[in-house]
Amino acid sequence: MPPSLPLSSMLLALAFAISSAPAMAVEGHYQTKTPYAPQQDPATYAAPPAGFQPIYTQLVARHGSRGLTGMKNDAALYAMWQQAAAQEALTPLGRELGPDILALMQANALLGYGVAGIERPGYGNLSQTGIDEHRQLAVRILARLPTLFAQIGQDAATAPRQLVTIDSGVDRARDSARFFTQSLLEHAPALAPLLYLPPAPTPYPQQRAPVLQHDGVNRFLLYAHKLAPQTDFVADRANPHYATYAASQAYQYYQRTKQLHALMDAPARQPEAAAHARHVLERLFAPAFLDQFEGGRASYADKGSYTFTSADGKLTRTMTGSGKTVIRSLNAAASKLYALYAISAGMRHEVPADFSRYMPAEDARYYAYIADHEDFYQKGPATTASAGVTWRFALALREDFFKEVDALTKGDLRHAAKLRFTHAEMIIPLASAMGLKQVLAPLPASASYSYESNPWRGQDVSPLAANMQWDVYRNGEGQLIVRLLYNEKETDFQTACDGARIAPGSVFYDYMKLKTCYGHVAAR
């Protein structure tokens, strides 16, 4: 784009280019490891009503596609493969599995090396796909709201507004924020002076020496599922973060309950679990080798050390397994292979291996269902008896969206946008807390989650780089209206708020009526 063009012209041209080339979804059954694709062609977005102009936008996004979070499933499965190789118990296809696992391990051990913006290479980092997901998401926001960003860029010197950016404090969320904002500024450099990282909430933990966090970190909003006494303890009931901390502790207790694990483990007790495991594994291992799992005669753990060196020879990393991830059954082995299949979908730049060869489509769909079943009860709507314990810690994040728009109603335009970067463990509960259709639907204890009876799917609720965005428009009379985009698809707020639509069937909602609607729900 020639630099002589004004920002407004650049963004309008960008909008045309993006709308004419929507991204394509990745085919496969990857559950919440599904690489991101926007769920609606931006050319089909509804135009705001006459007289309304965009004045603000806000976002919360999951980090982008990443590698494995640690050397666990891969090393355990590789140990199993090594033993099978020693016993000459591999099929021709099975012989190819070991080198592909080792290639995946090496890619994860060195992930991010040589990539500007990645401080510590290794497991858990963004892949190139994940970097691209956030860079492209930033471009599409600029393209969707060209007049908003052109105006705030033009006014940066005389009436500066802020692009507030916060993250969970975890590297992959912080890196997602960095790559997003870098892309934003590459296409709209006039926005650079407006970026603002607010100080982290402090002092926490209360009653102890505070643990300092980087500017821009907000664990109470973006890591609330895992608030810890050593970093986040809140004792004062009058503290604004007390309810979130208490809800986080209740959730973490729920995760340890026998009732939850009984719900999550139910599918493993069904006959199809053994059938799918056999179907996957007998394509790779000799049946007699697999029979050794019976009676506890075989187990494989993530033990041992592996050394990997970068292609340029400048980085060498030695990884040692903890021995805590153990394969004791056919179902465990097949599930861990599914985990490698799923993560490899977002690592196609780093790992040339095609793990779909080892996971037939019908089996991949089954293991995606198993993962959805677990996530539904552990992170999603869960049961009516759970009384919202899986999402109440996300209410503060929901209310932060409303607080931002509340400021606009009072004439406070300091924030032009708020950009938040987090994890699936917050995106999934937020969707429930928002009461989005087909997302907040808890089941009675007598019913069981299934694909046939329930529309909840991890690949729709929280693919990698999943996001929720609110665009805010204002007319000459000061009326504010809001549009919700979920994974960049125009999405209805909860059904109880249909009366807040500016017209029947409209995707735009009157903000004051919307706030009232959610206020009643929050008070129930």
Side-chain angles (χ1 to χ4, degrees):
M1 189 74 65
S4 58
L5 285 177
L7 179 59
S8 57
S9 298
M10 293 172 64
L11 295 181
L12 287 171
L14 188 63
F16 177 79
I18 293 296
S19 65
S20 63
M24 300 301 292
V26 176
E27 294 297 325
H29 302 280
Y30 307 114
Q31 209 252 349
T32 59
K33 305 303 185 295
T34 302
Y36 183 75
Q39 297 301 298
Q40 184 175 343
D41 183 342
T44 66
Y45 288 158
F52 282 88
Q53 298 296 324
I55 62 163
Y56 175 83
T57 191
Q58 57 180 325
L59 157 82
V60 61
R62 183 188 180 189
H63 60 75
S65 291
R66 58 164 174 82
L68 295 165
T69 55
M71 193 180 77
K72 296 178 288 190
N73 292 338
D74 48 356
L77 199 59
Y78 189 67
M80 177 178 167
W81 181 89
Q82 286 179 304
Q83 185 60 34
Q87 295 182 19
E88 297 185 351
L90 294 167
T91 69
L93 179 61
R95 285 193 287 270
E96 298 179 30
L97 175 62
D100 282 350
I101 295 175
L102 203 59
L104 182 65
M105 292 169 68
Q106 174 162 333
N108 277 280
L110 304 175
L111 190 58
Y113 173 66
V115 178
I118 300 292
E119 296 177 6
R120 292 177 292 185
Y123 279 79
N125 273 311
L126 297 178
S127 65
Q128 186 59 51
T129 296
I131 293 170
D132 292 342
E133 285 165 346
H134 277 281
R135 289 181 58 82
Q136 293 163 7
L137 180 59
V139 170
R140 288 192 297 273
I141 289 177
L142 287 172
R144 187 176 75 245
L145 299 166
T147 57
L148 170 64
F149 288 101
Q151 185 63 47
I152 62 176
Q154 178 180 314
D155 296 344
T158 57
R161 300 176 67 191
Q162 294 175 334
L163 304 177
V164 182
T165 305
I166 60 175
D167 63 72
S168 69
V170 177
D171 283 354
R172 54 185 170 271
R174 185 179 306 164
D175 291 340
S176 294
R178 182 182 298 118
F179 289 114
F180 180 99
T181 53
Q182 282 178 356
S183 178
L184 203 69
L185 301 185
E186 286 171 13
H187 292 89
L191 302 177
L194 308 182
L195 286 182
Y196 173 63
L197 302 178
T202 192
Y204 298 98
Q206 290 184 338
Q207 300 178 344
R208 306 179 192 180
V211 177
L212 298 180
Q213 306 284 352
H214 294 289
D215 286 351
V217 173
N218 193 317
R219 290 168 56 86
F220 290 100
L221 289 182
L222 302 174
Y223 210 65
H225 63 290
K226 214 169 185 178
L227 297 178
Q230 60 268 31
T231 52
D232 314 294
F233 180 70
V234 182
D236 182 3
R237 289 179 175 269
N239 187 285
H241 299 302
Y242 178 84
T244 301
Y245 180 80
S248 179
Q249 301 313 298
Y251 173 62
Q252 292 175 66
Y253 174 79
Y254 166 80
Q255 289 182 300
R256 299 188 296 268
T257 60
K258 293 181 180 179
Q259 293 89 338
L260 171 61
H261 287 278
L263 288 168
M264 292 171 58
D265 296 343
R269 298 190 291 269
Q270 300 301 315
E272 56 263 35
H276 280 283
R278 279 280 179 185
H279 187 251
V280 169
L281 297 174
E282 286 186 355
R283 300 171 69 251
L284 308 171
F285 302 95
F289 175 79
L290 298 175
D291 290 342
Q292 295 174 26
F293 280 114
E294 295 179 5
R297 291 182 290 128
S299 66
Y300 308 95
D302 59 331
K303 297 178 180 178
S305 295
Y306 302 86
T307 298
F308 303 105
T309 301
S310 61
D312 62 8
K314 295 181 179 179
L315 176 65
T316 296
R317 296 200 67 197
T318 297
M319 311 295 297
T320 301
S322 67
K324 296 180 180 178
T325 300
V326 184
I327 297 174
R328 295 189 176 92
S329 67
L330 295 178
N331 194 51
S335 296
K336 286 168 175 52
L337 181 56
Y338 172 78
L340 305 191
Y341 154 85
I343 206 69
S344 69
M347 296 186 67
R348 294 182 178 180
H349 293 281
E350 295 82 8
V351 185
D354 178 10
F355 275 81
S356 66
R357 297 188 302 152
Y358 309 119
M359 184 60 57
E362 63 269 32
D363 299 304
R365 184 180 186 276
Y366 170 77
Y367 287 106
Y369 153 70
I370 295 299
D372 278 336
H373 185 281
E374 293 176 356
D375 280 352
F376 179 87
Y377 289 110
Q378 186 175 30
K379 304 184 183 89
T383 65
T384 51
S386 68
V389 70
T390 56
W391 54 264
R392 289 197 175 276
F393 58 83
L395 284 173
L397 178 55
R398 187 188 80 178
E399 294 312 305
D400 193 55
F401 272 73
F402 282 96
K403 288 177 183 177
E404 287 290 311
V405 188
D406 278 348
L408 302 177
T409 66
K410 299 170 184 175
D412 183 353
L413 299 180
R414 284 176 294 177
H415 295 175
K418 190 164 189 178
L419 312 168
R420 311 168 182 86
F421 299 87
T422 186
H423 306 265
E425 291 86 352
M426 291 302 301
I427 293 290
I428 294 172
L430 177 62
S432 293
M434 290 297 302
L436 301 186
K437 294 178 180 178
Q438 298 187 339
V439 173
L440 181 58
L443 291 174
S446 59
S448 180
Y449 172 87
S450 71
Y451 273 5
E452 290 71 30
S453 62
N454 199 301
W456 196 95
R457 301 288 186 275
Q459 68 177 17
D460 299 324
V461 178
S462 187
L464 289 152
N467 56 89
M468 182 182 295
Q469 303 181 53
W470 291 18
D471 294 336
V472 182
Y473 298 78
R474 184 177 63 184
N475 65 6
E477 287 72 46
Q479 181 187 6
L480 297 183
I481 61 174
V482 180
R483 169 176 58 190
L484 167 63
L485 299 176
Y486 190 61
N487 295 329
E488 297 178 83
K489 179 181 180 180
E490 293 176 323
T491 300
D492 297 335
F493 286 93
Q494 62 183 1
T495 305
C497 296
D498 281 352
R501 298 178 193 267
I502 62 170
S506 176
V507 297
F508 295 96
Y509 290 71
D510 177 86
Y511 175 69
M512 298 308 294
K513 292 180 180 179
L514 187 70
K515 176 186 174 182
T516 299
C517 170
Y518 274 93
H520 288 315
V521 172
R524 68 185 175 192

